[in-house]
Amino acid sequence: MDQGKMDENEWGYHGEGNKSLVVAHAQRCVVLRFLKFPPNRKKASEEVFQHLQSIVDFGKNVMKEFLGENYVHCGEVVQLPLDFVKQLCLKIQSERPESRCDKDLDTLSGYALCLPNLARLQTYHFAEHRPILCVEIKPKCGFIPSSSAVTHEMKHKVCRYCMHQHLKVATGKWKQISKYCPLDLYSGNKQRMYFALKSLLQEAQNNLKIFKNGELIYGCKDARSPAVDWRELAHHLKPFFYPSNGLASGPHCARAVIRELVRVITRVLLSGSDKGRASALKLGPGSPGPCVCEASPFSRSLRHQGKSSLEHSGLPKGCLLYQTLQVQMLDLLDIEGLYPLYRRVERYLEEFPEQRKALQIDGPYDEAFYQKLLDLSTEDDGTVAFALTKVQQYRVAMTAKDCSIMIALSPCLQDASSDQRPVVPASRSRFAFSVSVLDLDLKPYESIPHQYRLDGKIVNYYSKAVRAKDAAAVSARFKESEDCTLVLHKV
């Protein structure tokens, strides 16, 4: 990329989150990621550079070690002409969602992160002419805590995602509760994985997006978005899964195409042999707690049928879901057990503020930082060192709980022998695919108090919702019994 000859017309809006905005090149398989800041709260150029460089270092020295070389793409920090950045900002402004415009793209430093476009097949620098389908999944936390520090019994039975759904619907973020449960996806059981993925397709929220040749064709932007149309999605997907176009149209066709998509995604998620060093953690796929969430509609339907709940079949150790789950389980104590340790570190820093750099709270994220994460002891010796290790492990675990998995698929060409990438079969076609992870910025140290308060809010709201539901059910039964009339006859 020649930074001296940058043309804003060659770049298009790709998407954005709370802290950054991404644009993609029209021809090359690269994206630029810019930081975002509230108006009038810009950062100095050196601060922006250090922030972006720390993202690269954390990806390279920590997440790539845990998840594997092939899955993590760290990118590099680049400096761009300021005129180009300003013109680009003006060009894409109209495409940004209104809800994201409370922060502005950084147009003052000129620094950005240059990364491969993960919506495309990897290993190619230029966009290929064959069609590309990309599914982005944000799987969330895949286990239930068993820590003795947990004070709410509900947290030992129901996963965080399912509880949080009730609060999100109550506050108007989403219109209805999703049937998706992360424990079903992480189970390794194909039936449960099918159910989880179909539930995501029915209620995507911000946990699933589908791109076709880099363009978003499916995904919910916010609660005001219209209901998703499976027929429209099937129309986009049909050429990929039924290239001969011999399938009849109508609801049956849409269901068949969606079923094929779910099967292919499941196969890809269970594939892989790029073992990162997460296996060194020796945590096991289901050791922290139960393998089934009581709130999962899949589990409930089995109970209603009188069947014993299906336990997880186990994820293959080389697959990305397994690696991700291992890193998530660095949250050994749950936020309830972690928060007092965070307070211990805070008290130490209040007394010795000059020690913040030595404790590596803001980096550098190097080999020494990574090695400390491998200490899985939970025996508290009362030291600041123990507390800090658990705090850093929690931050890394939270990063893994909020990452996204990108699955890029492309129909195999006639001469597939020259294609070095892995291939997954479908009923009437085969796909070359690549799997990658993104959203791997280390969660801020300062966000821990917020996480502690949010956890209490989620559990309390869910507990009240469950009690209210139970009370309504009892009331309905009582009302039914009141309707009975006793008739006395003379003897």
Side-chain angles (χ1 to χ4, degrees):
M1 188 168 66
D2 186 350
Q3 290 148 33
K5 299 178 181 177
M6 301 293 287
D7 181 355
E8 69 274 7
N9 295 310
E10 294 177 351
W11 299 83
Y13 178 82
H14 189 70
E16 63 186 292
N18 185 42
K19 295 179 180 178
S20 56
L21 181 148
V22 178
V23 295
H25 195 274
Q27 298 300 324
R28 298 177 70 88
C29 273
V30 291
V31 297
L32 292 172
R33 176 184 167 189
F34 294 90
L35 294 181
K36 292 174 14 178
F37 301 109
N40 306 318
R41 283 180 61 190
K42 303 293 183 185
K43 289 192 177 181
S45 295
E46 185 58 28
E47 277 186 277
V48 173
F49 173 79
Q50 288 299 337
H51 186 140
L52 291 172
Q53 190 58 51
S54 71
I55 291 172
V56 174
D57 293 341
F58 179 70
K60 187 184 298 181
N61 298 321
V62 179
M63 298 314 288
K64 187 173 273 195
E65 290 292 323
F66 276 138
L67 300 178
E69 184 82 20
N70 293 338
Y71 296 134
V72 180
H73 306 274
C74 305
E76 62 176 333
V77 182
V78 294
Q79 189 167 25
L80 305 163
L82 291 180
D83 283 348
F84 162 75
V85 178
K86 287 170 184 171
Q87 291 302 317
L88 180 65
C89 183
L90 292 171
K91 177 180 181 283
I92 63 171
Q93 188 59 35
S94 62
E95 297 180 63
R96 297 179 63 195
E98 189 180 333
S99 60
R100 293 294 188 186
C101 290
D102 58 327
K103 292 181 181 177
D104 299 329
L105 182 148
D106 167 37
T107 57
L108 298 179
S109 74
Y111 287 111
L113 204 53
C114 183
L115 295 150
N117 186 344
L118 300 180
R120 299 275 184 177
L121 281 177
Q122 294 314 301
T123 73
Y124 282 82
H125 296 296
F126 286 90
E128 296 181 64
H129 295 298
R130 59 169 132 177
I132 305 281
L133 190 67
C134 179
V135 181
E136 178 183 343
I137 300 170
K138 192 179 278 290
K140 305 302 282 188
C141 180
F143 71 94
I144 290 177
S146 61
S147 169
S148 58
V150 170
T151 58
H152 302 277
E153 186 59 29
M154 191 68 72
K155 286 170 69 174
H156 288 313
K157 299 175 182 176
V158 180
C159 79
R160 165 70 172 252
Y161 180 87
C162 288
M163 283 195 279
H164 203 175
Q165 282 288 301
H166 288 259
L167 183 61
K168 285 181 174 179
V169 170
T171 53
K173 179 161 188 184
W174 305 116
K175 284 185 178 177
Q176 62 186 38
I177 290 169
S178 170
K179 292 179 182 177
Y180 170 70
C181 174
L183 267 70
D184 289 331
L185 186 68
Y186 281 98
S187 68
N189 178 285
K190 285 186 179 179
Q191 266 186 281
R192 289 175 67 184
M193 292 179 77
Y194 287 166
F195 184 86
L197 290 166
K198 284 190 78 172
S199 299
L200 274 181
L201 282 162
Q202 287 168 333
E203 192 67 32
Q205 296 187 0
N206 61 352
N207 296 100
L208 182 134
K209 293 176 183 173
I210 300 177
F211 301 86
K212 183 178 178 182
N213 299 329
E215 296 291 322
L216 181 69
I217 60 167
Y218 195 82
C220 189
K221 290 180 180 175
D222 54 47
R224 296 179 297 278
S225 295
V228 291
D229 187 345
W230 276 29
R231 282 174 300 181
E232 186 182 337
L233 175 61
H235 174 74
H236 282 292
L237 300 179
K238 199 172 171 182
F240 287 89
F241 295 99
Y242 294 93
S244 61
N245 206 28
L247 197 65
S249 58
H252 173 73
C253 168
R255 284 195 297 270
V257 172
I258 299 297
R259 192 161 54 242
E260 279 293 288
L261 174 67
V262 170
R263 281 178 182 158
V264 167
I265 296 171
T266 303
R267 283 174 181 153
V268 171
L269 288 174
L270 291 173
S271 72
S273 58
D274 185 14
K275 295 179 183 177
R277 284 160 70 179
S279 54
L281 297 174
K282 296 184 175 64
L283 287 165
S287 58
C291 306
V292 176
C293 168
E294 285 189 3
S296 163
F298 185 89
S299 302
R300 287 204 305 268
S301 68
L302 283 180
R303 286 198 296 274
H304 290 155
Q305 295 168 35
K307 296 179 183 177
S308 59
S309 202
L310 279 169
E311 291 299 311
H312 78 290
S313 301
L315 292 164
K317 289 191 177 182
C319 79
L320 181 57
L321 281 181
Y322 177 87
Q323 299 291 94
T324 306
L325 184 58
Q326 295 292 296
V327 184
Q328 290 181 0
M329 293 190 313
L330 282 171
D331 177 9
L332 299 165
L333 304 172
D334 186 74
I335 185 65
E336 290 188 68
L338 189 280
Y339 188 67
L341 299 180
Y342 164 81
R343 292 296 308 145
R344 184 188 302 171
V345 176
E346 277 292 276
R347 286 192 295 271
Y348 179 79
L349 287 174
E350 285 167 12
E351 193 173 350
F352 306 104
E354 73 282 358
Q355 288 294 305
R356 187 177 176 107
K357 187 173 182 180
L359 295 179
Q360 287 188 278
I361 286 172
D362 308 305
Y365 305 121
D366 52 16
E367 177 67 17
F369 181 91
Y370 169 76
Q371 286 298 329
K372 288 173 187 173
L373 298 172
L374 302 179
D375 178 4
L376 302 179
S377 61
T378 53
E379 194 71 36
D380 187 357
D381 59 4
T383 63
V384 172
F386 173 84
L388 181 66
T389 296
K390 298 305 125 185
V391 165
Q392 303 292 48
Q393 286 174 335
Y394 174 80
R395 293 172 66 195
V396 174
M398 290 299 290
T399 301
K401 290 177 187 181
D402 207 35
C403 72
S404 292
I405 296 174
M406 301 286 276
I407 300 169
L409 302 160
S410 183
C412 285
L413 300 174
Q414 292 292 329
D415 181 21
S417 59
S418 61
D419 203 329
Q420 298 300 308
R421 286 164 296 201
V423 172
V424 62
S427 292
R428 303 192 188 183
S429 54
R430 294 188 311 143
F431 295 92
F433 71 89
S434 62
V435 186
S436 310
V437 198
L438 74 164
D439 296 339
L440 289 176
D441 298 10
L442 180 61
K443 294 299 178 185
Y445 169 80
E446 288 75 16
S447 70
I448 291 174
H450 165 74
Q451 289 297 332
Y452 180 69
R453 291 190 298 270
L454 179 61
D455 183 74
K457 195 174 179 181
I458 289 168
V459 178
N460 289 332
Y461 187 87
Y462 183 77
S463 298
K464 285 178 187 175
V466 168
R467 283 199 297 271
K469 190 177 176 182
D470 291 345
V474 170
S475 174
R477 287 198 296 272
F478 185 68
K479 193 167 186 291
E480 285 172 15
S481 64
E482 277 187 328
D483 291 340
C484 299
T485 306
L486 181 64
V487 181
L488 300 176
H489 296 277
K490 285 184 180 181
V491 178

